[in-house]
Amino acid sequence: MPEEKKDGEKKLKPCCACPETRKPRDQCIFEKGESECQELIEAHKECMRKLGFKV
């Protein structure tokens, strides 16, 4: 059951946030290693921050 905010709005979980940046980041890390994917990692962190996550 999804968590809900006090106003009844569903709370977004980190695992479900920013799929458009998470997927390419994960694929890059898998294929090339973390050190080669810093730009994608930072793009995903920025997306998460915009949604209110502290990363």
Side-chain angles (χ1 to χ4, degrees):
M1 186 115 210
E3 294 178 33
E4 292 190 11
K5 294 180 179 180
K6 291 179 183 174
D7 59 7
E9 187 179 311
K10 290 181 182 177
K11 183 177 178 185
L12 186 62
K13 294 183 180 182
C15 63
C16 303
C18 301
E20 67 280 359
T21 56
R22 185 182 68 248
K23 204 170 193 179
R25 176 208 64 181
D26 291 350
Q27 188 68 33
C28 182
I29 292 171
F30 178 75
E31 292 175 359
K32 302 176 184 177
E34 192 174 328
S35 63
E36 296 294 318
C37 303
Q38 290 305 307
E39 191 172 307
L40 292 171
I41 292 169
E42 287 305 315
H44 184 63
K45 285 181 182 180
E46 183 61 30
C47 180
M48 296 289 284
R49 286 184 195 109
K50 286 179 181 177
L51 293 175
F53 293 99
K54 295 181 180 179
V55 287

